[in-house]
Amino acid sequence: MPYIANTKADQEEMLEAIGCKDFEEMWEKAEVFSTHPDLSKLPKGRSEYEVLNMAKKLASQNATDLVNFIGGGYYDHYIPAAVNEITGRSDFYTAYTPYQPEASQGTLQATFEYQTAICRLTGMYVSNASMYDGGTALFEAITLACRVKKKNKAVISAAVSPVFRKMIHCYSSNLNVELVEIPEDGVKSNQQMLVDAVDEETACVLVQHPNFFGTIEEWTDFVEKIHNKKALAVCSVYPTALALLKSPGEMGFDIVTGEGQCLGNSLSFGGPYLGIMATTKKCMRKMPGRIVGKTVDKDGRDGYVLTLQTREQHIRRSSAVSNICSNEGLCALTASAYLTCLGKEGFRHVAKLCAAKAVYLKNLLLDIEGVEPVGEEPFFNEFIIKLPCDASEVARKLIDIGFAGGFPLGQYYPDRSNQLLIAATEKRTKQEIKNLATALEAILWN
Amino acid sequence: MELIYSKSREGRRGVSLPDFDVPEANAVPEKMMRKEPANLPEVSEQDAVRYYINLSKLNIGVDTNFYPLGSCTMKYNPKINEVIAKLEGFAALHPLLPQLKHGAALTQGALQVIYDMERMLCELLGFAQFTMQPMAGAHGELTGIMMIAAYHKANNDHKRKVMLIPDAAHGTNPASAAMNGFETREIPTDDHGNVDIPALKEVLGPDVAGLMLTAPSTLGLFDENVKEVCNLCHEAGALIYCDGANLNALFGRVRPGDMGFDVMHVNLHKSFSTPHGGGGPGSGPVGVSEKLAPFLPISRITKMKDGTYCLGYDYPKSIGFIAPFYGNFGVILKAYAYMLSIGRDGFLRISENAVLNANYIRTKLKPYYKQLFDRHCMHECVFSVDIQKEKYDVSAMDIAKGLLDRGIHPPTMYFPLIVHEALMIEPTETESKETLEEFIDAMIELAKLAEENPDEIKKCPVKTPLKRLDEALAARKPVVKLEEK
């Protein structure tokens, strides 16, 4: 039996010590009946080598050899080898939440640095230690805004990720929170309609930067209008883009959330990912999630602890600001190690590569007859093209010849069934981009 | 240790990146660009690696020390699980692929892992269906409670606004109920450590939506009236939720579904050996009985007649989307590898040894520390330090810090809330008898020290990288990031 140290002799000795002749008597003394489960339908135990082979076989049945141009909020960035080496340290990954700070300075200090990096990227005052993912973080931003403003309505742009919007609708269904969704305008948010939708009951307005279509929008005046109407402005971000773009803090946003998968975390078929949340000093004490703070030990040396814990469920129970208990600690460590390895210039270089490849890709694709742009707005590394036919059919044909060539928008936006959302990261080479363009042209015209 | 920023020098970089192979251009207007790059550290790869490796040494983990943290099930995290989760065919898989036309064919291996996990958990725990989507235990609670709410709503039973929660419950239970708009009401524990049945009967009524019960309880005790509790709830039209935080004690002996629970979450990062990661990522799959199955979150995975797997979204009664995709797949993979390793005959061995180890500690420490309920325990035992507190002013916190100096991570402190000066000890099945004995010796030594020289314990820890930290200062004057110069 793997992973159990007690030998038969140990067990006999220990059973005797606790006053039981066998395991059955131990169960009886613990007053546990048996439901006599029949586990015969479970597989029988396998050796390590057999488990590995089975897993390898299953792994081989997944298409990870496609040349990937799909983003949609989850991107195929390069993860430096050093990052995996750092997060593979079992002193980090086999530890619990750092409740005993004297034995957890590694986790605590790394989290403090994560919070620092997120604040610098977003331009905000405080970041928490992370949440489950970008979608749950955005939902928690609504509840945070509702607590701060003591109001219960949220206005959300349809240019926010449909994946996130579906989650927010689900979570809000049993709460006294009213959601108002404002349709997008081309590839932009409809800023005027968003502002107009804000009334006295509105706690916050939610937008995305860059938005789901990849478009970059200027938000400074918009945020001011939202503030004038006494609501908070919330922004969901793609952190890699923030290496180049004006930060949400500079544009005046009150709460920033985001999906941090792009910061060194693998795509891993949907998780674990990294929910980012940062906010202003004013909202700090109402923010959900763990927060690490700096302090001193008995000898006056600098150290770190979990702080502002009176917000949390283990103290406040039903009055806590959220039910969240764990965060995505290891994914936050990954992000911190990733940003450290890339560094100030390296991170910017990655973002510039993404942006340059996207421009090159878009130009090549628009040279193909029948492929049209959708809007002329600025973008970072993702954009939409319009095809002369159904985009999902084209995407399928691209798969057949080795390209995950983009995400067809029809299933989330029915009036966009001819549109393909395409992303480029620093991993895509000039040759791969040319090959995609050639393949697309062949599919459309041969 | 100094922060990484202290090693930063302009121009250093910790990874080699490709040059531009296309013209350097971007589609971002100047006015939307950041004026200055975000001030991240600039260090060489060696400096980065050395910094983090040294930082990791300031931690205690399951791989370095005994970690008997109650209700957290800090069992050994098998290394083969880590290897499998990193296989390229899983780690590099984009979650949007199966949403393409005929896209399910691109991810058959991954879909099978999730499907097989759902089926194996149903068999092991006695439920009709499972969802692997919840991303943590508390997230599983939220999902389960949403389904309870949806169930009553579907029955046009709109009066049920109350969720009952025993006083020994984890704080996440009442918080999760509140996040779903429920009012919470507390049920006391009787003097045998069980749910107080007369008190339960008194509050059960047409306004009660459900009861959240941790089984075994956070006192480490099995409530032998659990079937009656389930029956009482059902008779009153309420559903009963099982918090599976302590599932490790039940494997192979009792299936929660068979006892009458309607819905349950399990923590893959506890009973199923996936690492805690210094605070996540976890995974909190939820199992349901037949009557709650229509409300499960979407997407759902089905196995077709030809043996292939596909995703379905057409479940009109579903509560909707609780996760971006299919759950914390990387964590699910580790638990999958674990379940395949353990197999049908191994689960009872886990619970037997977990319960044996806890009772061994309980028996040996009983002469030195107070036990509130003098019974055989399950996978964890709870002691109170209140005698030492009263006589020598030595608290649970002091004993905990004393253990740190003896190379042991402390048990859970001050929980459950109904035990004063509580220490909650969960050794798990993976620890050897010798390790348990080292712990027992350390605890006895501390009990004696409390009597003979309490001041020495109050100085602990002195062997850790830092001494006791001033948590009050951190909360009073929060410093939550490194300020930029």
Side-chain angles (χ1 to χ4, degrees):
Chain A
M1 173 72 199
Y3 319 131
I4 289 179
N6 291 335
T7 62
K8 196 143 181 36
D10 290 334
Q11 290 172 350
E12 280 166 12
E13 208 178 307
M14 292 163 81
L15 281 165
E16 196 186 330
I18 67 167
C20 300
K21 63 178 189 299
D22 54 19
F23 279 122
E24 191 52 41
E25 190 179 356
M26 177 185 81
W27 290 118
E28 279 165 20
K29 285 198 171 168
E31 301 172 65
V32 189
F33 53 77
S34 173
T35 63
H36 306 289
D38 171 16
L39 301 185
S40 62
K41 282 192 192 156
L42 287 179
K44 71 176 178 44
R46 289 177 171 82
S47 71
E48 188 169 312
Y49 182 64
E50 289 169 311
V51 172
L52 179 64
N53 275 344
M54 192 167 164
K56 277 184 177 167
K57 194 174 156 209
L58 288 167
S60 73
Q61 291 162 19
N62 299 317
T64 47
D65 51 353
L66 300 167
V67 182
N68 190 30
F69 291 92
I70 292 183
Y74 308 89
Y75 299 92
D76 179 25
H77 289 291
Y78 180 69
I79 303 169
V83 172
N84 286 328
E85 195 65 26
I86 289 163
T87 54
R89 280 291 289 190
S90 63
D91 319 53
F92 281 130
Y93 79 72
T94 70
Y96 193 70
T97 301
Y99 284 126
Q100 296 286 344
E102 300 87 352
S104 317
Q105 285 301 302
T107 296
L108 286 161
Q109 185 164 323
T111 308
F112 185 81
E113 289 174 333
Y114 163 81
Q115 292 172 186
T116 299
I118 295 301
C119 287
R120 290 180 179 190
L121 270 184
T122 57
M124 302 306 285
Y125 178 80
V126 57
S127 157
N128 68 13
S130 75
M131 313 199 78
Y132 304 136
D133 83 305
T136 49
L138 191 58
F139 167 68
E140 296 255 17
I142 297 177
T143 64
L144 168 57
C146 289
R147 279 193 297 280
V148 170
K149 288 289 176 185
K150 299 191 172 66
K151 297 175 184 177
N152 62 358
K153 182 173 157 185
V155 176
I156 182 165
S157 166
V160 169
S161 161
V163 176
F164 293 176
R165 281 185 286 127
K166 282 183 169 190
M167 291 169 72
I168 289 169
H169 280 287
C170 172
Y171 290 124
S172 309
S173 58
N174 294 324
L175 291 175
N176 181 27
V177 175
E178 186 193 346
L179 288 179
V180 177
E181 209 164 279
I182 302 297
E184 75 280 9
D185 175 14
V187 292
K188 293 189 301 182
S189 298
N190 191 326
Q191 296 197 4
Q192 189 57 49
M193 273 180 80
L194 285 166
V195 173
D196 290 345
V198 177
D199 61 17
E200 286 170 357
E201 300 306 315
T202 306
C204 61
V205 180
L206 281 64
V207 298
Q208 188 170 313
H209 178 64
N211 71 26
F212 183 69
F213 310 117
T215 309
I216 301 165
E217 301 181 62
E218 174 57 69
W219 296 108
T220 309
D221 294 343
F222 169 81
V223 171
E224 197 182 326
K225 287 176 193 160
I226 300 299
H227 285 165
N228 287 342
K229 295 182 95 170
K230 308 287 179 215
L232 297 184
V234 180
C235 180
S236 177
V237 297
Y238 170 21
T240 304
L242 294 186
L244 284 188
L245 303 185
K246 211 191 258 186
S247 76
E250 199 180 333
M251 293 188 278
F253 282 98
D254 303 281
I255 306 170
V256 179
T257 64
E259 176 48 68
Q261 174 271 326
C262 57
L263 303 177
N265 288 290
S266 57
L267 285 162
S268 196
F269 202 50
Y273 288 162
L274 172 68
I276 289 170
M277 179 182 269
T279 187
T280 57
K281 192 173 185 179
K282 205 175 148 194
C283 294
M284 176 168 70
R285 286 175 190 271
K286 292 193 162 64
M287 184 188 210
R290 303 198 185 286
I291 300 174
V292 172
K294 190 177 174 184
T295 187
V296 293
D297 80 347
K298 266 184 170 174
D299 294 343
R301 292 175 293 183
D302 285 349
Y304 303 90
V305 293
L306 293 175
T307 195
L308 304 175
Q309 295 192 64
T310 51
R311 300 166 296 120
E312 295 186 59
Q313 48 76 27
H314 61 288
I315 312 258
R316 291 286 293 283
R317 301 179 75 84
S318 63
S319 316
V321 297
S322 170
N323 74 331
I324 195 164
C325 177
S326 63
N327 49 48
E328 302 286 290
L330 199 66
C331 303
L333 172 73
T334 304
S336 202
Y338 175 83
L339 290 170
T340 299
C341 287
L342 265 63
K344 188 177 175 176
E345 284 309 322
F347 188 47
R348 205 173 161 84
H349 183 69
V350 165
K352 282 180 177 171
L353 283 171
C354 293
K357 308 233 179 190
V359 168
Y360 183 75
L361 170 62
K362 189 175 182 184
N363 288 338
L364 275 193
L365 296 179
L366 292 181
D367 281 347
I368 301 170
E369 198 187 334
V371 176
E372 290 172 31
V374 183
E376 300 293 339
E377 278 75 10
F379 59 96
F380 170 56
N381 75 332
E382 197 162 20
F383 55 86
I384 303 176
I385 56 169
K386 190 175 170 195
L387 303 174
C389 53
D390 183 65
S392 64
E393 195 55 42
V394 172
R396 192 189 63 73
K397 287 179 180 164
L398 282 169
I399 291 281
D400 290 343
I401 47 173
F403 294 93
F407 189 70
L409 286 175
Q411 61 173 297
Y412 288 119
Y413 299 88
D415 55 344
R416 294 180 186 267
S417 59
N418 284 8
Q419 298 181 12
L420 203 57
L421 180 66
I422 303 177
T425 67
E426 78 283 5
K427 280 172 79 174
R428 296 290 72 84
T429 63
K430 184 179 183 178
Q431 193 57 51
E432 287 171 338
I433 292 170
K434 281 182 167 174
N435 291 348
L436 175 69
T438 309
L440 180 63
E441 188 165 25
I443 287 168
L444 293 179
W445 300 113
N446 287 349
Chain B
M1 223 169 112
E2 296 246 33
L3 296 176
I4 188 73
Y5 290 89
S6 70
K7 296 190 184 349
S8 183
R9 298 292 179 274
E10 202 178 319
R12 285 184 188 156
R13 188 195 280 175
V15 64
S16 64
L17 294 165
D19 289 330
F20 287 89
D21 60 354
V22 298
E24 190 175 345
N26 66 64
V28 187
E30 194 59 34
K31 66 178 175 39
M32 292 183 193
M33 299 274 265
R34 188 184 272 273
K35 287 188 204 79
E36 290 288 325
N39 199 1
L40 299 168
E42 297 184 88
V43 296
S44 67
E45 181 173 334
Q46 180 174 26
D47 278 349
V49 170
R50 188 175 287 163
Y51 170 76
Y52 279 107
I53 300 305
N54 283 316
L55 196 59
S56 76
K57 291 179 186 167
L58 305 183
N59 262 10
I60 283 185
V62 172
D63 277 3
T64 60
N65 299 71
F66 183 41
Y67 216 121
L69 199 61
S71 259
C72 299
T73 316
M74 302 298 285
K75 66 169 71 175
Y76 175 65
N77 309 131
K79 300 310 162 198
I80 186 67
N81 303 357
E82 302 298 313
V83 171
I84 286 170
K86 288 194 178 84
L87 291 175
E88 182 80 1
F90 294 128
L93 194 59
H94 199 292
L96 282 170
L97 283 183
Q99 297 184 20
L100 300 178
K101 199 169 191 178
H102 305 306
L106 306 170
T107 60
Q108 284 297 299
L111 294 177
Q112 188 185 333
V113 167
I114 299 172
Y115 182 85
D116 284 354
M117 273 301 279
E118 287 179 0
R119 292 320 311 162
M120 287 197 288
L121 288 173
C122 286
E123 290 297 325
L124 181 64
L125 304 171
F127 288 99
Q129 299 278 336
F130 250 87
T131 171
M132 301 305 294
Q133 288 190 23
M135 296 176 274
H139 198 220
E141 291 175 26
L142 192 66
T143 307
I145 298 168
M146 287 171 89
M147 286 190 267
I148 291 178
Y151 170 83
H152 291 308
K153 207 183 260 180
N155 290 340
N156 284 318
D157 193 348
H158 302 291
K159 300 178 301 295
R160 298 188 182 271
K161 295 288 177 206
V162 176
M163 191 61 68
L164 304 179
I165 295 168
D167 55 5
H170 296 113
T172 48
N173 290 181
S176 298
M179 260 182 103
N180 254 294
F182 284 108
E183 180 192 321
T184 59
R185 216 167 285 165
E186 205 167 86
I187 306 290
T189 301
D190 72 12
D191 53 16
H192 197 56
N194 294 335
V195 171
D196 187 327
I197 295 219
L200 174 65
K201 283 180 179 164
E202 208 153 287
V203 293
L204 274 174
D207 61 338
V208 174
L211 167 72
M212 297 181 82
L213 194 66
T214 307
S217 74
T218 60
L219 294 159
L221 302 175
F222 187 79
D223 191 328
E224 65 268 34
N225 304 323
V226 60
K227 283 182 181 166
E228 189 187 350
V229 171
C230 289
N231 286 339
L232 285 170
C233 287
H234 286 154
E235 279 163 23
L239 297 182
I240 179 148
Y241 183 96
C242 181
D243 181 326
N246 295 338
L247 172 64
N248 211 41
L250 302 180
F251 277 149
R253 173 90 185 169
V254 179
R255 299 202 310 174
D258 296 342
M259 293 193 287
F261 287 103
D262 300 293
V263 47
M264 172 187 199
H265 85 263
V266 302
N267 303 76
L268 298 188
H269 47 289
K270 294 180 180 176
S271 317
F272 295 89
S273 86
T274 75
H276 283 73
S283 174
V286 169
V288 292
S289 61
E290 217 52 86
K291 65 183 162 199
L292 284 178
F295 307 102
L296 282 165
I298 40 181
S299 57
R300 307 278 305 134
I301 296 177
T302 37
K303 189 173 182 176
M304 311 302 281
K305 278 190 187 135
D306 64 1
T308 59
Y309 302 86
C310 72
L311 290 169
Y313 296 87
D314 189 17
Y315 296 87
K317 287 183 170 175
S318 165
I319 56 168
F321 295 82
I322 60 136
F325 298 102
Y326 327 104
N328 275 351
F329 182 69
V331 179
I332 294 167
L333 271 172
K334 296 177 193 182
Y336 180 66
Y338 182 70
M339 291 195 77
L340 293 180
S341 306
I342 298 302
R344 62 173 88 106
D345 300 320
F347 284 99
L348 186 61
R349 304 284 96 78
I350 292 173
S351 59
E352 281 172 352
N353 284 281
V355 173
L356 177 64
N357 283 359
N359 275 296
Y360 191 66
I361 290 174
R362 186 189 59 81
T363 308
K364 298 283 184 184
L365 291 184
K366 220 170 101 173
Y368 303 92
Y369 294 92
K370 189 170 107 181
Q371 242 198 309
L372 207 58
F373 303 96
D374 189 12
R375 296 168 55 176
H376 273 66
C377 64
M378 294 293 277
H379 65 304
E380 62 192 0
C381 54
V382 180
F383 286 103
S384 166
V385 186
D386 65 354
I387 295 174
Q388 284 85 352
K389 175 78 182 162
E390 200 175 306
K391 281 193 184 165
Y392 320 114
D393 196 30
V394 168
S395 65
M397 170 82 86
D398 295 326
I399 300 285
K401 301 302 183 194
L403 282 170
L404 282 175
D405 274 347
R406 284 152 185 79
I408 293 166
H409 191 282
T412 298
M413 316 178 296
Y414 301 101
F415 188 82
L417 302 175
I418 54 174
V419 178
H420 295 298
E421 297 292 333
L423 286 178
M424 184 200 236
I425 302 159
E426 181 182 7
T428 84
E429 77 283 3
T430 62
E431 298 292 345
S432 69
K433 181 163 165 280
E434 295 77 40
T435 304
L436 304 183
E437 280 161 0
E438 280 168 29
F439 170 72
I440 291 162
D441 290 345
M443 286 292 284
I444 294 173
E445 187 201 338
L446 288 166
K448 288 180 178 161
L449 199 59
E451 207 174 320
E452 290 155 11
N453 192 358
D455 286 346
E456 203 180 313
I457 298 191
K458 292 187 158 303
K459 284 185 205 140
C460 295
V462 294
K463 292 182 184 169
T464 45
L466 292 176
K467 292 187 181 170
R468 283 195 208 191
L469 289 132
D470 189 345
E471 298 194 16
L473 172 71
R476 204 169 58 243
K477 293 183 181 165
V479 178
V480 291
K481 64 174 188 296
L482 178 67
E483 292 294 342
E484 292 192 64
K485 282 183 190 136

